[in-house]
């Protein structure tokens, strides 16, 4: 799976929005290896959650505290 490869990618690639989006669209838990700034990206986190509801745990604390965002995540994955 491409998503798992993110673990071994360079820091530059872990901060590349296109690379991270592709990884989380295949394996939501790959988000754990993304840069902090991309773990705070609503679109990327929602994509990760669509693949794996538990990926919410890897999102930024800011997004996990955001009630509106969490409600959107519940709608995406039925958490």
């Amino acid at each position: 799976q491409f998503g798992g490869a993110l673990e071994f990618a360079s820091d530059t690639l872990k901060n590349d929005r296109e690379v991270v989006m592709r990884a989380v669209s295949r394996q939501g838990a790959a988000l754990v290896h993304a840069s902090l700034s991309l773990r705070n990206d609503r679109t990327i986190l929602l994509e990760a959650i669509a693949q794996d509801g538990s990926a919410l745990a890897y999102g930024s604390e800011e997004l996990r505290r955001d009630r509106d965002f969490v409600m959107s995540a519940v709608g995406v994955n039925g958490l």
Side-chain angles (χ1 to χ4, degrees):
Q1 290 249 25
F2 179 79
L6 191 58
E7 177 180 1
F8 306 104
S10 69
D11 289 343
T12 300
L13 292 177
K14 289 178 182 181
N15 196 43
D16 183 300
R17 193 172 193 282
E18 185 178 348
V19 170
V20 171
M21 181 63 87
R22 189 169 199 186
V24 301
S25 72
R26 295 170 189 220
Q27 184 180 358
L31 185 64
V32 71
H33 302 295
S35 69
L36 184 56
S37 66
L38 290 180
R39 292 188 349 236
N40 193 45
D41 182 299
R42 291 173 182 269
T43 304
I44 288 177
L45 185 50
L46 284 174
E47 181 65 32
I49 291 167
Q51 292 302 313
D52 179 354
S54 66
L56 178 60
Y58 306 125
S60 69
E61 187 174 339
E62 179 182 340
L63 288 179
R64 289 184 286 123
R65 287 185 183 183
D66 182 322
R67 183 180 190 281
D68 292 334
F69 177 79
V70 172
M71 292 299 290
S72 295
V74 169
V76 165
N77 195 276
L79 294 173

